[in-house]
């Protein structure tokens, strides 16, 4: 509008991909004769960018209101300032619409960044030095913050990305991932996939946090508005050419529509909630399990020798059920009962290469431990070289059917793979993983995607997949023995050696007793491109023609139809939950948490009506503070040290746990529940930080923020367990009023920050790969709680081995002239080429 032409500070909006008019909103902030003046038209989901000089002040709260837990003013007399002083741009999410008790937990469509930002950073690297986030209703007269007592942010995961280099696709999560705390429990997730060559030529392979995208999820949850998300001078998250913003928020509507302001008023709860109306907050924030999501469990079975075995199968009926469970998708099943001391005692199964399974229940009190083997060459049916030892066979049915026969001795046909899929589409199988990632830790993919065989028509190729990317084709290591089409289904039979031809080829181990995960997929056409369906499966390798025992593996269960992972609680000392018998570890005692929060569904019971029809509509608003990254030169070091995400759960790997109520005779002030976890630094390294001690010495923590949900959260402490040194001790700050951003009982969590003592910070120290860390979490347990969390959301600089003895440059900006071998940032900042180096930094 006229009169809203900017001076030194100007704010402009780029509309999101919606059907609303392109120019439906514009916001400008001007400086005129020392007085700020605002012009606003009705704003909705979109992006606003403020291009300015150094800006002092925060989006949320008053100056100085953000806190850190470990300031160091005694070193130089300086006090670290948590007031942001950098250029920034603001991003509004797509609209969030809910009714009372509803959960909003979905992946929103991308929002484009404005032209000014895209043009400025098209060939540059942006250094994100901090961010703020709030939830607001956007009105013609300005943004109105939504109280946390109305809409509770359980968590968020946000991205800035370069859409010319990477695309984000909605993918089903690894089946075990949500139950190990990955993806914050989501069943689906946004995952970055580098565009294949030909669409965009890429300089280096995929990384889960490459310079083409950055993820932001620190200090999320109920503490998200008033917890500090900034970094010390010279440290940043680096992203090249960002042009879009993506967000997956999880919000819970707790707004009693009779509330006029932020002062909490209770609303109806499901009968399973144990939070009283007098608590001062809604029990809905703990995701209580309603009767909309019934729990179900049944006996589980596994093959003898598996780590899942807990005992013997007790009866013939269990044996026959177990056979179908441990070898699903067999061509046929036969059942036999005998009393023969010469055969395997109890429950056993026999398979053949064609997919037939025979389950045998032997009630004899004594039995031999082995049986005669079948001629391996006959079982394999291979016209070529015949191995001289018995084979193992496994098969699975999913988007493609796969049968694998392994000889116990090496040879050119020691592995025989039969794949069956649609004749008019490509299909394939990735071996050694149940997702497009071989090793997923926290939200990071260790080592990229699996070895795969792709079939397209009568052609078959081997590939090493990227993390949700096509990867690269490998040198062929197999021989095609058969390729035929019957009834619209293509069958292809391949043989190869046990040992992989290279480190990228899979090596099959016939001695292994553990099942092998596979990921199957089919395409839309014969051209190998984005799949049109994928599914995981398991290969249980059994000696062909021999009896293999079946054991009792406890139970398996479901909540509302979704599988519940019984092995979700890690063994001691990584977790104490199992030894404490925490209810979250077992489907039979699970009462609430992530498994009972579903997108678009009410948390009330089936018989409860939502008492208000009014829909709450609002947006999450992000403000990103940035600087331009300057790469190192011969005369100056890099402007910023890149910070990688390191993450650990004190509640490993459940991702949540229950606060168990203390006995009524214990005084409230003495009701404290404690859990702990011990792990090594190398256990939490992200993918781009090698755990090879010849390359990496360790990390320097720069930011460490605890994450907890329950208002009963008392403290979290992080120790170097090898030395006993307390690294970080955090106690939450609780709201004291009924004002927005200070709601009574809701928390802010000051993080620990390390940096230059001249800034008033504690200097970061080297934590080696073998360093053992200890986390201790304490909660008041005068009331019971479900879905509580105790994770450490951290950012760190990775220290190369050759620079372990070099003093850290605290500010990340070494004095000129720099000594390049003495600056860890030179290597940390670059990722992907020439070992640790990359395309941006030599």
């Amino acid at each position: 509008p006229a009169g809203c032409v900017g001076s030194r500070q100007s704010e402009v909006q780029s509309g999101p991909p919606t059907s609303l008019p392109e120019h439906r909103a514009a916001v400008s902030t001007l400086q005129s004769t020392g007085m700020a003046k605002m012009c606003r038209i009705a704003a909705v989901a979109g992006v606003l960018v403020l291009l300015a000089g150094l800006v002092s002040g925060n989006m949320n709260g008053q100056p100085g209101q953000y806190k850190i837990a470990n300031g160091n003013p005694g070193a130089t007399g300086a006090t670290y300032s948590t007031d942001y002083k950098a250029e920034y741009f603001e991003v509004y999410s797509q609209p969030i619409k809910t009714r009372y008790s509803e959960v909003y937990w979905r992946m929103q469509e991308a929002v484009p960044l404005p032209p000014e930002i895209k043009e400025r950073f098209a060939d540059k690297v942006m250094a994100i030095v901090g961010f703020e986030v709030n939830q607001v209703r956007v009105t013609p007269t300005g943004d109105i913050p939504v109280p946390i007592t109305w809409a509770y942010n359980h968590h968020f995961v946000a991205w800035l990305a370069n859409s010319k280099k990477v695309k984000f696709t909605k993918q089903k999560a690894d089946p075990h991932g949500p139950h190990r705390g990955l993806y914050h429990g989501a069943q689906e997730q946004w995952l970055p996939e580098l565009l294949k060559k030909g669409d965009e030529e890429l300089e280096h392979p995929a990384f889960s946090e490459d310079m083409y995208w950055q993820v932001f999820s620190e200090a999320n949850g109920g503490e998200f508005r008033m917890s500090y998300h900034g970094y010390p001078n010279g440290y940043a998250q680096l992203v090249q050419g960002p042009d879009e913003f993506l967000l997956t928020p999880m919000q819970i509507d707790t707004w009693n529509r009779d509330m006029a302001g932020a002062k909490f008023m209770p609303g109806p709860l499901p009968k399973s909630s144990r939070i009283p109306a007098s608590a001062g907050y809604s029990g809905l924030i703990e995701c209580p399990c309603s009767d909309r999501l019934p729990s179900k469990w049944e006996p589980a079975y596994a093959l003898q020798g598996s780590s899942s075995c807990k005992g013997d199968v007790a009866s013939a009926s269990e044996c026959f059920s177990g056979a179908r469970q441990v070898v699903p998708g067999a061509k046929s099943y036969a059942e036999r009962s005998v009393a023969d001391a010469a055969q395997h005692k109890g429950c056993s199964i026999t398979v053949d290469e064609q997919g037939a399974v025979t389950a045998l229940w032997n009630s004899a009190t004594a039995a031999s431990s082995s049986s005669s083997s079948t001629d391996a060459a006959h079982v394999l049916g291979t016209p070529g070289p015949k191995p001289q030892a018995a084979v193992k066979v496994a098969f699975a049915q999913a988007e493609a059917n796969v049968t694998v026969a392994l000889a116990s001795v090496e040879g050119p046909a020691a592995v025989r793979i039969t794949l069956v899929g649609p004749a008019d589409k490509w299909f394939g199988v990735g071996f050694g993983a149940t997702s497009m990632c071989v090793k997923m830790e926290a939200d990071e993919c260790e080592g990229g995607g699996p070895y795969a065989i792709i079939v397209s028509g009568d052609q078959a190729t081997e590939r090493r997949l990227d993390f949700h990317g096509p990867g690269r084709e490998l040198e062929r290591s197999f021989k095609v023995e058969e390729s035929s089409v019957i009834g619209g289904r293509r069958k292809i039979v391949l043989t190869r050696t046990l040992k992989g031809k290279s480190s990228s080829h899979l090596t099959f181990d016939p001695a292994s007793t553990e099942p092998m995960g596979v990921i199957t997929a089919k395409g839309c056409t014969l051209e190998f491109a984005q799949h049109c369906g994928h599914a995981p499966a398991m290969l249980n390798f059994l000696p062909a023609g021999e009896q293999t025992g079946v054991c009792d593996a406890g139970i398996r269960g479901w909540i509302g139809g979704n599988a519940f992972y019984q092995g979700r609680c890690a063994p001691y000392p990584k977790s104490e939950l199992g030894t404490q018998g925490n209810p979250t570890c077992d489907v039979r005692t699970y009462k609430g948490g992530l498994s009972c929060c579903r997108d678009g569904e009410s948390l009330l019971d089936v018989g409860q009506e939502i008492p208000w029809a009014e829909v709450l509509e609002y947006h999450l608003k992000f403000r990103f503070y940035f600087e331009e990254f300057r790469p190192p030169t011969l005369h100056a070091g890099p402007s910023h040290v890149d910070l990688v995400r390191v993450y650990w759960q004190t509640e490993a790997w459940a991702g949540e746990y229950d606060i168990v109520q203390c006995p009524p005779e214990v005084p409230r002030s003495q009701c404290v529940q404690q859990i702990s976890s011990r792990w090594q630094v190398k256990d939490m390294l992200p993918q781009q930080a090698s755990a090879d001690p010849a390359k990496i010495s360790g990390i320097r923590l720069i930011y460490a923020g605890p994450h907890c949900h329950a208002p009963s959260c008392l403290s979290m402490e992080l120790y170097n367990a090898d030395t006993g040194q307390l690294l970080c001790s955090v106690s939450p700050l609780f709201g004291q009023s009924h004002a927005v951003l200070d709601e009574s009982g809701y928390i802010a969590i000051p993080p620990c920050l390390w940096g230059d003592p001249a800034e008033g910070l504690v200097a970061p120290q080297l934590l080696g790969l073998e360093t053992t860390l200890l986390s201790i979490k304490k909660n008041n347990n005068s009331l019971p709680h479900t879905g509580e969390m105790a994770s450490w959301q951290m950012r760190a600089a990775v220290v190369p081995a050759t620079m372990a003895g070099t003093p850290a440059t605290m500010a990340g900006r070494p004095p000129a002239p720099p000594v390049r071998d003495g600056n860890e940032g030179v290597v940390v900042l670059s990722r992907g080429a020439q070992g640790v180096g990359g395309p941006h930094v030599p």
Side-chain angles (χ1 to χ4, degrees):
C4 286
V5 179
S7 58
R8 184 165 179 263
Q9 299 184 12
S10 63
E11 207 172 345
V12 296
Q13 175 174 342
S14 169
T18 70
S19 59
L20 296 175
E22 181 179 0
H23 300 290
R24 66 192 176 283
V27 180
S28 298
T29 302
L30 309 179
Q31 288 183 333
S32 176
T33 64
M35 180 180 295
K37 182 178 181 182
M38 179 171 285
C39 303
R40 180 182 292 266
I41 300 176
V44 291
V47 179
L48 297 93
V49 57
L50 176 60
L51 305 175
L54 294 180
V55 179
S56 180
N58 303 326
M59 182 177 76
N60 298 337
Q62 300 298 316
Q65 190 163 334
Y66 290 125
K67 307 296 180 185
I68 62 172
N70 65 335
N72 186 31
T76 61
T79 299
Y80 181 80
S81 173
T82 57
D83 293 334
Y84 295 97
K85 298 178 180 178
E87 297 179 84
Y88 63 81
F89 59 91
E90 293 177 343
V91 184
Y92 289 77
S93 75
Q94 302 289 352
I96 298 171
K97 301 178 182 181
T98 57
R99 296 178 64 197
Y100 176 79
S101 77
E102 285 183 348
V103 177
Y104 184 100
W105 189 4
R106 70 190 64 164
M107 299 169 286
Q108 295 189 337
E109 296 301 322
V111 175
L113 300 188
E116 291 83 354
I117 285 290
K118 291 191 285 188
E119 180 179 353
R120 179 175 171 183
F121 286 95
D123 298 312
K124 296 180 181 179
V125 174
M126 177 185 289
I128 302 294
V129 297
F131 69 95
E132 294 181 273
V133 60
N134 204 343
Q135 51 192 28
V136 299
R137 290 187 294 173
V138 180
T139 75
T141 57
D143 293 341
I144 300 176
V146 175
I148 197 78
T149 51
W150 290 22
Y152 182 78
N153 174 256
H154 189 282
H155 69 270
F156 63 81
V157 183
W159 295 265
L160 291 177
N162 181 336
S163 66
K164 295 183 178 62
K165 299 291 186 180
V166 65
K167 64 179 178 180
F168 280 72
T169 57
K170 295 180 181 180
Q171 303 284 349
K172 291 287 185 182
D174 178 335
H176 295 325
H179 311 297
R180 295 178 56 225
L182 309 185
Y183 336 123
H184 221 105
Q187 299 293 325
E188 286 188 320
Q189 56 180 330
W190 281 116
L191 287 175
E193 178 179 319
L194 286 176
L195 297 173
K196 67 179 181 179
K197 292 183 179 181
D199 293 338
E200 285 289 337
E201 193 73 19
L202 301 179
E203 297 92 339
H204 53 84
F207 288 129
S208 60
E209 279 191 14
D210 196 68
M211 279 190 181
Y212 298 135
W213 69 88
Q214 279 286 359
V215 63
F216 304 88
S217 63
E218 288 73 31
N220 54 9
E223 64 268 25
F224 78 124
R225 301 166 305 158
M226 294 309 298
S227 296
Y228 185 58
H229 302 90
Y231 303 132
N233 187 32
Y235 294 96
Q237 291 179 245
L238 304 180
V239 56
Q240 182 192 41
D243 59 9
E244 67 179 11
F245 169 80
L246 300 99
L247 178 68
T248 300
M250 180 181 175
Q251 302 285 123
I252 302 174
D253 190 321
T254 62
W255 178 32
N256 180 324
R257 270 49 175 180
D258 295 331
M259 293 167 56
K263 183 178 180 180
F264 176 74
M265 291 178 62
L269 300 173
K271 58 180 177 294
S272 65
S273 176
R274 294 171 287 174
I275 302 303
S278 60
Y281 62 93
S282 173
L284 296 179
I285 71 174
E286 298 177 355
C287 294
C289 293
S290 74
D291 59 11
R292 296 173 187 266
L293 301 174
S295 297
K296 175 186 176 183
W297 55 86
E298 66 182 21
Y301 304 92
L303 297 177
Q304 287 285 359
S306 168
S307 58
S308 301
C309 287
K310 301 183 183 304
D312 294 331
V313 175
S315 67
S317 60
E318 286 190 45
C319 178
F320 301 151
S321 296
R324 286 169 166 76
Q325 189 181 119
V326 298
V327 190
K331 180 178 180 181
S332 64
Y333 294 94
E335 300 168 354
R336 293 176 55 213
S337 295
V338 300
D340 185 351
Q343 299 194 58
H344 190 288
K345 177 186 175 181
C347 184
S348 64
I349 56 177
T350 305
V351 303
D352 65 26
E353 188 185 359
Q354 285 67 45
V357 172
T358 299
L360 178 71
W361 171 251
N362 186 3
S363 59
T365 57
S368 62
S369 59
S370 63
S371 58
S372 61
S373 62
T374 303
D375 185 303
H378 172 73
V379 174
L380 278 174
T382 306
K386 296 178 174 59
Q388 300 303 307
V391 297
K392 286 186 174 181
V393 179
F395 40 85
Q397 292 182 348
E399 295 294 346
N401 297 345
V402 56
T403 301
V404 180
L406 304 179
S408 60
V409 295
E410 183 63 287
V415 179
R416 183 180 179 88
I417 301 173
T418 302
L419 302 177
V420 179
D424 60 345
K425 300 177 177 64
W426 72 262
F427 60 93
V429 177
F431 294 88
T434 54
S435 72
M436 292 285 284
C437 181
V438 173
K439 182 184 178 185
M440 199 81 181
E441 294 295 344
D443 293 330
E444 310 295 340
C445 177
E446 300 284 346
Y451 163 83
I453 296 176
I454 307 298
V455 179
S456 179
D458 59 359
Q459 300 297 312
T461 58
E462 293 168 278
R463 306 187 72 89
R464 186 71 186 212
L465 302 176
D466 289 332
F467 181 36
H468 289 279
R472 66 189 189 281
E473 187 171 339
L474 304 177
E475 183 180 355
R476 174 176 286 196
S477 68
F478 58 71
K479 177 183 178 182
V480 178
E481 303 286 354
E482 176 188 343
S483 181
S484 59
V485 176
I486 301 177
R489 303 280 288 175
R490 177 169 293 278
K491 175 184 176 182
I492 190 164
V493 180
L494 315 170
T495 57
R496 46 153 286 185
T497 58
L498 290 167
K499 182 175 175 57
K501 193 169 187 177
S502 72
S503 60
S504 294
H505 293 75
L506 181 71
T507 292
F508 290 90
D509 180 10
S512 175
T513 59
E514 296 298 322
M516 174 187 287
V518 294
I519 180 73
T520 66
K522 64 181 178 182
C524 308
T525 65
L526 285 173
E527 181 183 2
F528 180 55
Q530 177 69 32
H531 63 71
C532 284
H534 72 291
M538 300 297 292
L539 294 174
N540 282 303
F541 286 93
L542 304 175
E546 297 184 17
Q547 291 175 303
T548 301
V550 176
C551 68
D552 180 349
I555 66 165
R556 63 176 185 172
W558 300 261
I559 295 179
N562 286 349
F564 184 94
Y565 183 44
Q566 282 291 109
R568 68 201 309 249
C569 293
Y572 182 85
K574 282 186 167 63
S575 171
E576 286 188 305
L577 298 184
T579 56
Q580 292 180 355
N582 194 276
T584 200
C585 298
D586 195 308
V587 67
R588 293 167 293 187
T589 54
Y590 189 87
K591 300 300 181 185
L594 290 168
S595 294
C596 289
C597 265
R598 304 284 175 88
D599 175 52
E601 295 189 14
S602 170
L603 286 165
L604 299 181
D605 289 324
V606 173
Q608 292 178 285
E609 292 186 4
I610 299 176
W612 303 282
E614 183 177 355
V615 173
L616 175 62
E617 180 175 346
Y618 60 100
H619 307 258
L620 290 193
K621 176 183 179 181
F622 284 75
R623 176 183 287 185
F624 290 99
Y625 295 90
F626 67 91
E627 298 171 354
E628 287 192 13
F629 169 72
R630 298 191 305 275
T633 67
L634 293 177
H635 305 291
S639 59
H640 301 79
V641 174
D642 190 26
L643 294 177
V644 299
R645 185 170 186 257
V646 289
Y647 177 77
W648 192 261
Q649 303 167 353
T650 314
E651 69 277 27
W653 287 109
E656 60 184 359
Y657 68 108
D658 283 15
I659 304 301
V660 180
Q661 188 170 20
C662 68
E665 64 271 14
V666 178
R668 180 184 177 90
S669 61
Q670 298 178 24
C671 285
V672 177
Q673 177 175 323
Q674 176 177 303
I675 66 169
S676 68
S677 175
R678 290 175 184 264
W679 72 101
Q680 291 185 312
V681 167
K682 64 183 179 182
D683 295 332
M684 63 177 184
L685 286 181
Q687 174 207 342
Q688 63 265 41
S690 168
D692 183 353
K695 298 179 180 178
I696 299 296
S697 292
I699 62 173
R700 300 187 195 273
L701 284 180
I702 303 300
Y703 178 101
H707 175 53
C708 56
H709 282 288
S712 64
C713 182
L714 293 178
S715 66
M716 280 187 67
E717 295 173 330
L718 182 65
Y719 290 86
N720 181 330
D722 296 334
T723 64
Q725 179 186 6
L726 178 62
L727 300 175
C728 180
S729 178
V730 177
S731 295
L733 305 175
F734 292 90
Q736 301 296 318
S737 72
H738 301 305
V740 177
L741 301 179
D742 188 44
E743 296 92 340
S744 178
Y746 285 84
I747 59 176
I749 302 181
C752 288
L753 215 62
W754 294 266
D756 192 343
E759 282 192 87
L761 296 173
V762 176
Q765 61 178 275
L766 175 67
L767 298 174
L769 295 177
E770 303 291 330
T771 300
T772 300
L773 300 177
L774 167 66
S775 174
I776 298 176
K777 166 70 181 303
K778 296 179 180 179
N779 280 77
N780 179 282
N781 63 336
S782 55
L783 287 175
H785 303 277
T786 60
E788 172 62 326
M789 296 184 175
S791 61
W792 286 96
Q793 300 171 327
M794 300 178 284
R795 291 277 167 176
V798 178
V799 182
T802 56
M803 302 176 187
T806 304
T809 303
M810 296 305 120
R813 295 187 176 117
V819 180
R820 299 190 64 173
D821 288 342
N823 185 347
E824 71 211 38
V826 173
V827 179
V828 173
L829 284 166
S830 55
R831 297 177 279 189
Q834 299 182 10
V836 186
H840 306 294
V841 184

